[in-house]
């Protein structure tokens, strides 16, 4: 693990695996709301023998430090944080792999096109670039979803996953959810999911692969088709049968296989 200072009040933790290969891009992983760099541990196990992999903790999650400002956890700000981080990582060509909220951040980064080394994007059950607002009662339920061990475990087992995952993995997911700071935890349901970045997403020019879970209750296939694919020119999608929203946890080998095949195809 390594901690990189992005600003006086923001330091981002990253976990690197595998060796740099001059002919292959580095894979940079951005996690879901409630996750951390270790959300991708099992997926990276399959990829690190062939790729240099870097998993990131967003500010306020995992071992990263975020500011004490309620507006500092927007999609736009998280994208700027990652754009500031990547030049510090000593990587050249890279591919963003974003899951859920991390997928929305990845779309924003790719559409802004501030980083010359970005070669492609892989979106795992991504939040769409269009705004999504919950009714007030549901918003409050989501804000408090990670308020206790019991509520977080319920979300993992009954909302986020559809395939069987081990008790050990459930415990790790719950631990990450409970570790999030109050401001980072509230940001996604309070305002970040409602951010409209569709105009930015339509400016994406690098190849994009969307990986959807057949049984995803959070970002169902129809929404991926209507809100993600429809806003990203040339994006393609593959489905993983039997998986819910936690694709890198529920189907790590299949996710890794799709990532490797796609990266080989678009980078030669």
């Amino acid at each position: 693990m390594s901690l990189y200072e992005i600003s006086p009040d923001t330091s981002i933790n990253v976990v690197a695996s595998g060796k740099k290969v001059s002919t292959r891009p580095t894979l940079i992983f951005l996690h879901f709301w409630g996750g951390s760099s270790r959300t991708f541990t099992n997926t990276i196990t399959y990829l690190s023998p062939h790729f240099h992999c870097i998993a990131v903790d967003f500010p306020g999650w995992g071992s990263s430090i975020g500011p004490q400002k309620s507006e500092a956890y927007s999609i736009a700000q998280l994208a700027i944080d990652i754009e500031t981080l990547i030049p510090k990582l000593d990587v050249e060509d890279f591919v963003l792999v974003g899951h859920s909220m991390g997928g929305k951040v990845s779309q924003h980064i790719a559409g802004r096109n501030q980083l010359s080394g970005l070669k492609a994007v892989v979106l795992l059950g991504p939040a769409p670039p269009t705004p999504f607002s919950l009714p007030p009662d549901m918003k409050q339920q989501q804000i408090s979803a990670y308020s206790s061990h019991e509520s977080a475990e319920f979300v993992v087992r009954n909302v986020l996953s559809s395939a069987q995952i081990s008790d050990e993995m459930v415990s790790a997911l719950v631990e990450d959810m409970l570790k999030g700071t109050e401001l980072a935890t509230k940001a996604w349901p309070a305002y970040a999911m409602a951010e409209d970045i569709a105009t930015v997403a339509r400016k994406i020019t690098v190849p994009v692969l969307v990986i959807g879970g057949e049984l995803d209750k959070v970002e169902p296939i129809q929404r991926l088709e209507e809100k993600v694919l429809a806003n990203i020119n040339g994006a393609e999608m593959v489905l993983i049968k039997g998986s819910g929203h936690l694709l890198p946890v529920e189907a790590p080998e299949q996710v890794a296989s799709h990532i490797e095949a796609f990266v080989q195809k678009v980078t030669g």
Side-chain angles (χ1 to χ4, degrees), residues 23 36 44 48 51 63 86 96 117 148 157-158 167 244 246 255:
T23 57
S36 76
I44 288 174
S48 58
F51 292 93
S63 297
I86 289 175
L96 289 176
S148 70
R157 293 189 185 276
N158 297 282
D167 290 343
L246 291 175
V255 167

Side-chain angles (χ1 to χ4, degrees), residues 150-185:
E150 291 75 20
S151 61
E153 182 173 346
F154 179 87
V155 170
V156 170
R157 293 189 185 276
N158 297 282
V159 179
L160 297 180
S161 63
S162 294
Q164 186 68 33
I165 54 179
S166 69
D167 290 343
E168 181 182 10
M169 182 56 69
V170 171
S171 294
L173 288 162
V174 169
E175 183 178 308
D176 281 345
M177 291 169 172
L178 298 179
K179 194 174 182 180
T181 65
E182 182 180 3
L183 293 177
T185 301

Side-chain angles (χ1 to χ4, degrees), residues 83 86-87 91-95 109-110 112-120 205-206:
E83 289 171 353
I86 289 175
V91 300
E92 295 180 4
D93 294 348
F94 64 94
V95 172
I109 293 169
R112 278 167 51 82
N113 194 28
Q114 301 293 303
L115 300 171
S116 60
L118 179 62
K119 298 305 176 186
T205 57
V206 297

Side-chain angles (χ1 to χ4, degrees), residues 4-5 8 25-26 33 42 47 77 79 85 91 122 129 134-135 140 149 152 156 165 169 175 187 195 219 223 245 252:
Y4 292 83
E5 184 175 306
T26 294
W33 173 65
N42 291 345
L47 290 165
Q77 183 58 52
L85 169 71
V91 300
V122 179
L134 294 168
Q140 190 54 49
H149 187 284
V156 170
I165 54 179
M169 182 56 69
E175 183 178 308
E195 283 180 70
E219 300 297 348
R223 183 150 72 226
H245 190 60

Side-chain angles (χ1 to χ4, degrees), residues 43 47 97 124 211 240 247-248 251-260:
T43 298
L47 290 165
V97 182
L124 311 177
I211 303 178
I240 294 183
L247 284 155
E253 187 171 9
Q254 290 168 276
V255 167
S257 179
H258 284 303
I259 291 172
E260 182 164 10

